[in-house]
């Protein structure tokens, strides 16, 4: 239902040799219509992509038996359209450019917030599958991603760009707790500015007010002492 | 002053002094010798006159007649009878006198003495024009002087040419060292010069630069490895903390602790990234042949931070002036300008303003913050921030400028804290 017009489950392949991190990623992304598989090596990843297509491949570059870019090259060689988000502990610009040149959709540098990964995956998959007609549906609430608008009971709700980004982050991590620090990093970039966290509070208050005034159910819940959670079941 | 000038100057001074002293000395010596010669001649003439008259053994009348004749023909000898027992001191002197023959004043050398003819004393004056001799002495002195000047000048020219040839390897080495970059593609290579000292110098410089390159490369490798090895555990730790947030039975106290842990992780990550950025800046080759457009970079930076700026209620003005190119690698310029823009945002007061200006190649950015000027000494030091940030941003910006040979200055003016970047024309 919440996956809009995309039928079935979103399949994500996590190619990551640090098993512990892969498990955390899987635990975070799994559920709410997403199903993750894990591959710990280039060979393992190639086996899995041969078996079936994925909506998105989360690709670590430093793998024990080779470079993750080889998996990307193989995907492109096969003419596959699986979305690819590169994850690397190296932030060398060359790697990033090479990945994007070969055809990766996005690039994220370790360490990253799981919520940030979720929103990148969502953007990648949605861009690939719904050129221009991409809406998330949560009963009375619709989110038009390309148009950057929220619609409640069929009526557009005017949101500022920051409020829309907030909403998109929340829905990408729906039913998950989003700590304030994670939200502020997403909005203001990875900043050490303490004011950014206070601003999260202000923006969130405005977003909640606008949605509730438009008649939207109370979906954005405050998690005391931590942050916020977007619930799909109002 | 050049080394060559140090060695040449005393030689020049000595040569000039000797030359200046030698001119009058030469003239005086020559003139003295000549005059002595002339004086000898005059004495010889006196003796000839005396001997000639003696040989004739003339009568008193004949003698008087002869003296009258000698005086009359004015051949340079004059005789005059003296009272008996007179004594005349011998003396030589030079006088200026009108000369009938040449029709103008001429110097004459005169010899006054006494001779005894037929038992009576006579004063004798022998005179000779010395103009020709004076001219000769002058001519000789001039020739000598010209030779001396030629000799000295020649020595100087040869010295200069030789010195240039000898010093050529030194200048070549100096140029090579100026061009040398520890991270450059070309290591320094010693070139044989044929001069033992320079060959040794080149060899030592080659070893030294080679060692520097090795150390530098090792350091870079270490930084990269350390960066990678640190990132992975931080990523794992962050995954754990964020997974913990998702557990259902989290108490408020636990959540608070987790939030704190998450913030600390963020700080660790940013410190790590900042240090890595510093290492990167050191690693990036300075390429004066590459240019970038600072206006475009600032515009894109402002685009990216637009929402953050708006949410802080800051007003930003950007006077971009005329199109300009910086002789800087675009990646470096992004790091430099990005850190300055972020710094201005971080330290501006709520509702404050940020003024960015590009006039010519000069970039300035100013924000209103605290009322007092900051200490420009500690401002650019690592980890010396005001507590609002990590204190790495300005250190990075300054490092970029240092690498480029540009200047980054802090100015406090009209309550605004500003930084200016002045690209040097040399790149």
């Amino acid at each position: 239902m919440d996956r809009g017009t995309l039928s079935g489950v979103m399949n994500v392949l996590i190619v990551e040799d640090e098993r512990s991190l892969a498990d955390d990623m899987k635990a975070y992304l799994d559920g709410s219509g997403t199903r993750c598989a894990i591959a710990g090596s280039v060979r393992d990843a190639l086996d899995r992509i041969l078996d079936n297509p994925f909506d998105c491949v989360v690709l670590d570059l430093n793998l024990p038996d080779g470079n993750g870019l080889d998996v990307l090259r193989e995907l492109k060689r096969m003419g596959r359209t699986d979305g690819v988000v590169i994850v690397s502990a190296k932030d060398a610009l060359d790697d990033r450019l090479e990945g994007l040149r070969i055809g990766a959709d996005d690039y994220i540098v370790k360490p990253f917030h799981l919520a940030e990964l979720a929103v990148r995956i969502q953007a990648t998959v949605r861009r690939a599958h719904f050129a221009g007609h991409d809406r998330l549906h949560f009963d009375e609430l619709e989110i038009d991603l390309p148009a950057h608008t929220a619609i409640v009971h069929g009526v557009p709700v005017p949101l500022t760009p920051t409020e829309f980004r907030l909403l998109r982050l929340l829905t990408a991590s729906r039913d998950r707790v989003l700590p304030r620090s994670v939200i502020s990093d997403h909005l203001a970039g990875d900043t050490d500015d303490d004011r950014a966290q206070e601003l999260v509070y202000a923006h969130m208050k405005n977003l909640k007010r606008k949605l509730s005034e438009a008649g939207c159910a109370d979906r954005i819940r405050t998690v005391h002492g931590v942050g916020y959670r977007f619930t799909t079941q109002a | 002053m050049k080394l060559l000038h140090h060695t040449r100057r005393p030689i020049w001074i000595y040569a000039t002094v000797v030359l200046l002293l030698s001119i009058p000395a030469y003239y005086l010596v020559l003139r003295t010798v000549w005059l002595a010669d002339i004086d000898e001649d005059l004495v010889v003439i006196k003796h000839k006159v005396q001997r000639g008259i003696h040989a004739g053994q003339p009568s008193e009348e004949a003698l008087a007649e002869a003296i009258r004749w000698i005086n009359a023909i004015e051949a340079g000898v004059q005789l005059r009878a003296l009272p008996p027992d007179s004594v005349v001191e011998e003396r030589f002197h030079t006088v200026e006198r009108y000369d009938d023959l040449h029709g103008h004043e001429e110097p004459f050398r005169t010899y006054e003495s006494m001779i005894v003819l037929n038992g009576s004393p006579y004063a004798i004056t022998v005179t000779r024009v010395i103009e020709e001799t004076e001219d000769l002495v002058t001519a000789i002195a001039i020739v000598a002087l010209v030779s001396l000047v030629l000799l000295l000048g020649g020595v100087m020219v040869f010295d200069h040419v030789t010195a240039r040839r000898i010093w050529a390897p030194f200048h070549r080495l100096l140029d090579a060292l100026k061009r040398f970059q520890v991270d450059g593609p070309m290591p320094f290579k010693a070139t044989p010069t044929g001069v033992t000292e320079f060959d040794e110098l080149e060899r030592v410089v080659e070893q030294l630069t080679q060692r520097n390159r090795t150390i530098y490369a090792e350091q870079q490798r270490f930084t990269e490895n350390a960066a990678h090895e640190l990132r992975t555990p931080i990523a794992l730790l962050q995954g754990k903390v964020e997974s913990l947030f998702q557990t259902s039975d989290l108490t408020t106290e636990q959540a608070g602790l987790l939030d704190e842990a998450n913030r600390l992780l963020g700080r660790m990550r940013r410190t790590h990234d900042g240090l890595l950025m510093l290492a990167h800046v050191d690693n990036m080759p300075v390429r004066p042949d590459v240019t970038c457009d600072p206006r475009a970079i600032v515009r894109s930076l402002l685009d990216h931070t637009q929402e953050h700026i708006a949410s802080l209620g800051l007003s930003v003005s950007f006077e971009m002036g005329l199109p300009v190119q910086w002789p800087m690698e675009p990646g470096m310029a992004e790091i430099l300008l990005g850190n300055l823009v972020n710094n201005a945002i971080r330290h501006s007061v709520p509702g404050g303003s940020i003024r960015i200006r590009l006039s010519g190649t000069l970039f300035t950015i100013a924000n209103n913050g605290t009322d007092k000027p900051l200490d420009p000494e500690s401002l650019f030091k690592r980890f010396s921030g005001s507590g609002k940030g990590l204190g790495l941003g300005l250190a990075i910006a300054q490092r970029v400028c240092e690498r480029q040979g540009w200047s980054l200055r802090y100015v406090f003016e009209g309550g605004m804290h500003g930084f200016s970047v002045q690209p040097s024309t040399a790149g």
Side-chain angles (χ1 to χ4, degrees):
Chain A
M1 181 66 205
D2 55 315
R3 292 194 36 77
T5 52
L6 179 63
S7 59
V9 173
M10 182 159 77
N11 284 304
V12 174
L13 176 65
I14 298 168
V15 185
E16 165 67 66
D17 63 326
E18 290 286 347
R19 186 67 201 196
S20 158
L21 182 61
D23 286 343
D24 288 335
M25 284 155 79
K26 180 175 161 56
Y28 190 89
L29 297 170
D30 265 349
S32 313
T34 303
R35 195 167 56 210
C36 295
I38 295 175
S41 63
V42 172
R43 169 183 284 271
D44 198 1
L46 289 174
D47 282 351
R48 282 182 178 270
I49 60 170
L50 279 176
D51 286 348
N52 46 44
F54 289 91
D55 296 296
C56 187
V57 178
V58 178
L59 195 58
D60 185 14
L61 292 187
N62 302 304
L63 295 167
D65 60 342
N67 193 320
L69 288 177
D70 294 339
V71 178
L72 176 60
R73 285 196 189 92
E74 183 61 18
L75 276 172
K76 294 298 157 189
R77 199 189 58 76
M78 292 160 67
R80 293 269 290 268
T81 56
D82 311 40
V84 174
V85 175
I86 287 176
V87 170
S88 178
K90 280 203 283 187
D91 66 348
L93 196 62
D94 290 349
D95 268 11
R96 194 178 314 198
L97 291 177
E98 177 68 1
L100 295 176
R101 193 184 63 76
I102 297 175
D105 298 277
D106 209 345
Y107 192 108
I108 188 168
V109 178
K110 274 187 197 172
F112 50 84
H113 295 302
L114 294 173
E116 187 66 37
L117 178 66
V119 81
R120 303 281 188 109
I121 291 173
Q122 178 182 278
T124 297
V125 172
R126 298 237 154 222
R127 227 180 3 245
H129 287 271
F130 314 86
H133 305 285
D134 183 14
R135 287 190 177 190
L136 292 167
H137 293 264
F138 304 96
D139 298 328
E140 76 288 0
L141 174 66
E142 273 180 81
I143 298 166
D144 188 334
L145 291 169
H148 284 215
T149 44
I151 300 144
V152 179
H153 294 303
V155 182
V157 180
L159 295 179
T160 67
T162 309
E163 286 157 7
F164 184 80
R165 287 179 68 196
L166 253 180
L167 188 58
R168 206 177 53 188
L169 180 74
L170 284 163
T171 55
S173 287
R174 64 201 74 145
D175 296 319
R176 300 271 177 276
V177 177
L178 272 178
R180 260 192 308 273
S181 54
V182 173
I183 302 173
S184 75
D185 281 352
H186 179 72
L187 291 187
D190 194 359
T191 173
D192 38 26
D193 198 334
D194 283 342
R195 291 175 301 184
Q197 297 224 14
E198 293 159 25
L199 287 165
V200 168
Y201 175 75
H203 287 303
M204 197 63 87
K205 208 175 77 179
N206 290 338
L207 175 64
K208 286 171 77 167
R209 183 177 50 76
K210 285 181 182 176
L211 289 178
S212 88
E213 276 173 10
C216 185
D218 182 20
R219 293 183 178 276
I220 302 171
R221 307 276 169 80
T222 304
V223 182
H224 202 63
V226 184
Y228 303 89
R229 176 169 47 210
F230 182 91
T231 57
T232 47
Q233 263 72 47
Chain B
M1 195 159 65
K2 281 188 172 181
L3 183 66
L4 267 181
H5 295 164
H6 277 285
T7 54
R8 271 190 199 147
R9 204 161 70 154
I11 295 177
W12 268 110
I13 291 171
Y14 176 72
T16 311
V17 167
V18 168
L19 194 65
L20 288 177
L21 288 179
S22 72
I23 296 167
Y26 215 93
Y27 179 78
L28 284 176
V29 168
L30 268 179
R31 195 171 187 276
T32 311
V33 170
W34 265 105
L35 281 182
D37 233 27
I38 287 167
D39 291 351
E40 233 171 74
D41 278 354
L42 295 179
V43 174
V44 167
I45 290 171
K46 177 190 102 173
H47 287 307
K48 274 187 177 165
V49 168
Q50 192 170 20
R51 221 180 312 135
I53 291 175
H54 267 304
Q57 292 185 336
S59 62
E60 285 300 317
E61 292 77 27
L63 180 64
E65 184 64 14
I67 290 171
R68 204 172 54 80
W69 272 105
I70 289 171
N71 288 345
I73 59 170
E74 287 190 7
V77 178
Q78 296 284 317
L79 288 164
R80 182 164 48 86
L82 291 172
D85 305 326
S86 295
V87 175
V88 171
E89 285 265 333
E90 279 206 340
R91 111 187 152 94
F92 296 93
H93 60 104
T94 308
V95 285
E96 290 281 330
R97 217 170 65 198
Y98 184 79
D99 183 33
D100 305 334
L101 215 63
H102 293 91
H104 54 80
E105 292 267 317
E106 288 280 359
F108 282 86
R109 187 70 177 169
T110 304
Y111 171 46
E112 286 173 14
S113 186
M114 191 184 86
I115 49 175
V116 178
L117 300 171
N118 289 353
S120 308
Y122 287 85
I124 181 167
T125 312
V126 189
T127 306
R128 186 168 151 188
V129 177
I130 53 167
E131 192 223 19
E132 289 86 355
T133 34
E134 289 264 352
D135 287 350
L136 200 61
V137 168
T138 315
I140 291 172
I142 287 173
V143 169
L145 187 73
V146 168
S147 325
L148 234 107
V149 168
L150 279 179
L151 180 73
L152 222 89
V155 167
M156 286 298 168
V157 169
F158 283 123
D159 172 54
H160 187 69
V161 171
T162 321
R164 269 176 61 155
R165 212 187 56 234
I166 288 179
W167 283 99
F170 173 78
H171 289 295
R172 212 168 44 229
L173 175 65
L174 201 65
D175 280 344
L177 278 180
K178 278 182 195 159
R179 279 197 309 272
F180 174 73
Q181 285 185 338
V182 77
D183 59 343
M186 295 296 290
F188 177 87
K189 271 267 166 276
T191 34
T193 61
V195 180
T196 321
E197 288 86 348
F198 284 127
D199 279 344
E200 195 176 341
L201 182 63
E202 294 244 355
R203 220 169 25 249
V204 170
V205 168
E206 187 185 76
Q207 285 165 0
L208 195 70
T209 51
Q210 194 49 49
R211 205 156 51 229
N212 275 351
R213 284 174 69 89
T214 312
I215 291 170
Y216 184 82
E218 272 169 17
Q219 255 174 4
Q220 287 303 327
R221 225 178 358 259
F222 173 78
T223 317
E224 273 166 30
N225 286 344
H228 180 255
E229 294 307 316
L230 258 172
R231 254 170 214 275
T232 306
I234 295 176
L236 292 174
L237 195 55
Q238 192 153 320
K240 297 296 159 212
V241 169
E242 287 181 16
S243 298
L244 262 175
F245 273 122
Q246 309 307 329
T247 50
S248 51
D249 47 359
L250 207 59
T251 67
T252 309
E253 193 193 355
Q254 287 167 333
L257 289 172
L258 269 183
D259 194 44
E260 186 61 27
N262 208 22
R263 282 158 173 261
L264 290 174
L265 264 174
R267 202 162 94 196
M268 192 154 134
R269 195 175 61 230
R270 284 184 291 271
T271 306
H272 176 264
D273 286 352
L275 288 174
L276 196 66
M277 178 82 80
L278 265 174
H280 261 315
V281 167
D282 284 339
N283 200 15
M284 272 189 179
V286 174
R287 297 186 51 193
D289 52 320
V290 180
T291 59
C292 65
D293 176 5
R295 304 201 310 171
I297 293 172
V298 172
R299 267 202 305 264
S300 111
L301 281 168
L302 291 179
D303 266 2
H304 280 122
T305 46
Q306 193 184 9
E307 284 175 41
H308 188 46
I309 288 171
S311 60
L312 288 168
L314 301 174
S315 67
V316 177
S317 68
F318 178 30
E319 285 174 48
M320 58 178 144
L322 297 168
V324 70
Q325 289 287 314
W326 273 6
M328 184 185 253
E329 212 268 318
M332 289 267 257
E334 271 167 39
I335 292 172
L336 169 65
L337 296 173
N339 274 299
L340 290 176
V341 168
N342 282 340
N343 183 71
I345 294 173
R346 179 176 305 133
H347 294 284
S348 58
V349 288
S353 62
I354 296 174
R355 284 208 296 259
I356 306 174
R357 241 181 102 184
L358 257 167
S359 55
T361 56
L362 177 75
F363 171 85
T364 48
I365 182 165
N367 64 279
N368 43 6
T370 53
D371 295 338
K372 275 183 253 141
L374 305 165
D375 175 21
E377 284 295 306
S378 64
L379 205 52
F380 297 108
K381 286 196 183 119
R382 292 173 193 187
F383 303 114
S384 66
S386 54
K388 282 185 183 166
L390 295 166
L392 278 175
L394 288 177
I396 292 170
Q398 200 199 24
R399 191 72 192 105
V400 172
C401 287
E402 269 175 17
R403 290 258 2 225
Q404 203 79 10
W406 295 8
S407 71
L408 173 63
R409 284 201 197 86
Y410 168 73
V411 251
F412 182 70
E413 214 175 67
M416 303 282 279
H417 301 270
F419 291 92
S420 68
V421 175
Q422 178 66 74
S424 69
T425 43

